Amino acid sequence: MKTHPDTVLGRLAVAARPPRPWLRIQASNWWTRVLLAGGARRRPLGGADLRTANLTGGYLRGADLTGADLRGANLDGADLRGARLGAADLTRADLRGAYLTGAYVRGADLTRADVRTSNLDDADLRDAYLTRAHLTRTVMRGADLDGADLSGANLDGAVLTRTVMRGANLDGAVLTRAVLRGANLDGANLDGADLRGANLDGVNLVNVTWSERTRWPDAVAALMRERSVPIGGGRYRVQGSGNTEAEVPAPPVPVA
């Protein structure tokens, strides 16, 4: 936002850079935008104790919340685009409808967090803990979830187009009606996952492990058996050279 020094907003922007750099100002989301446009700096929040804080609709775009304690915090509808949340504790946090496009959330703990209908496009969630997280209808196009723990998570109707989930743990995860078009699940664990009704067009499933408890979409269930080999304990590993349409020379899995 550009401001002219002779206007009210211009004078406020100048006030945002006082001779006392330690001056702390609390402002609404709208005034926060004005002050930041004028050169004000956010108070560092890395490692901050924000347990159960009410940050509903907060303007935290680009904020550094590395390692912050946000357990049980209310971030419903907050703007966290480009924010740094690496190693932050968001256990049971409310992130419904939040904007986390391009956010850095690597290694963060979102166990049982409510992330329904939020936007995580292009977010970095590598090695994040999303155990039993609520991700219904969450949009995560192009997000990086390499090595993430999504065991027991609810991703019903989630948009995971082009998402990278190599080596991710999806044990018992609900992926019903999810859109995984073009996603990379190389080496992921789908033991007990429910993928009924999911769109798996062009998904890379090489080395994915699954079990008799796994529920595949009807259209690919037989193919997945043909593409897989038993590895013991009622579990199988998908063989082949690529996505769900790939030709696979591997021996078929016997159907009980």
Side-chain angles (χ1 to χ4, degrees):
M1 176 187 296
K2 293 184 178 180
T3 57
H4 193 280
D6 293 330
T7 64
V8 174
L9 292 180
R11 288 192 291 273
L12 285 167
V14 172
R17 293 175 288 184
R20 295 172 292 171
W22 45 262
L23 182 64
R24 305 197 187 285
I25 301 172
Q26 289 186 338
S28 67
N29 290 332
W30 191 85
W31 284 116
T32 296
R33 292 184 178 90
V34 173
L35 294 171
L36 289 174
R41 295 183 180 179
R42 294 183 186 274
R43 174 185 174 185
L45 295 170
D49 186 349
L50 295 166
R51 284 174 291 178
T52 70
N54 185 2
L55 298 165
T56 304
Y59 183 75
L60 293 161
R61 188 170 185 175
D64 188 352
L65 290 152
T66 303
D69 189 345
L70 287 152
R71 286 175 290 175
N74 189 345
L75 290 150
D76 186 354
D79 186 347
L80 288 152
R81 285 176 286 181
R84 300 188 67 80
L85 289 150
D89 191 343
L90 291 146
T91 303
R92 295 183 182 274
D94 186 349
L95 288 152
R96 288 175 296 173
Y99 300 92
L100 290 125
T101 305
Y104 183 84
V105 201
R106 185 172 186 175
D109 191 345
L110 290 98
T111 300
R112 294 183 182 273
D114 192 344
V115 200
R116 287 176 289 176
T117 69
S118 63
N119 190 309
L120 284 149
D121 281 349
D122 300 314
D124 187 344
L125 289 144
R126 287 174 291 173
D127 303 315
Y129 298 93
L130 292 142
T131 307
R132 297 189 180 280
H134 302 283
L135 294 152
T136 305
R137 298 191 306 281
T138 297
V139 180
M140 305 173 78
R141 290 168 297 203
D144 192 342
L145 287 144
D146 263 10
D149 188 349
L150 291 138
S151 54
N154 188 345
L155 292 133
D156 177 60
V159 180
L160 300 158
T161 307
R162 303 185 313 280
T163 297
V164 179
M165 304 173 81
R166 291 174 298 197
N169 182 11
L170 290 147
D171 187 347
V174 176
L175 290 149
T176 48
R177 300 178 295 177
V179 179
L180 292 109
R181 189 180 300 112
N184 186 353
L185 274 72
D186 188 348
N189 176 18
L190 289 172
D191 186 359
D194 189 348
L195 296 115
R196 288 175 293 181
N199 184 331
L200 300 178
D201 291 347
V203 176
N204 182 0
L205 294 165
V206 172
N207 295 319
V208 161
T209 55
W210 57 282
S211 70
E212 295 292 349
R213 297 188 302 119
T214 303
R215 297 291 176 262
W216 295 103
D218 292 339
V220 300
L223 178 61
M224 287 302 99
R225 283 193 173 274
E226 292 176 5
R227 288 190 57 181
S228 304
V229 293
I231 56 175
R235 301 176 69 239
Y236 308 95
R237 177 175 288 115
V238 178
Q239 304 292 291
S241 57
N243 58 42
T244 49
E245 292 85 28
E247 294 294 331
V248 184
V253 174
V255 180

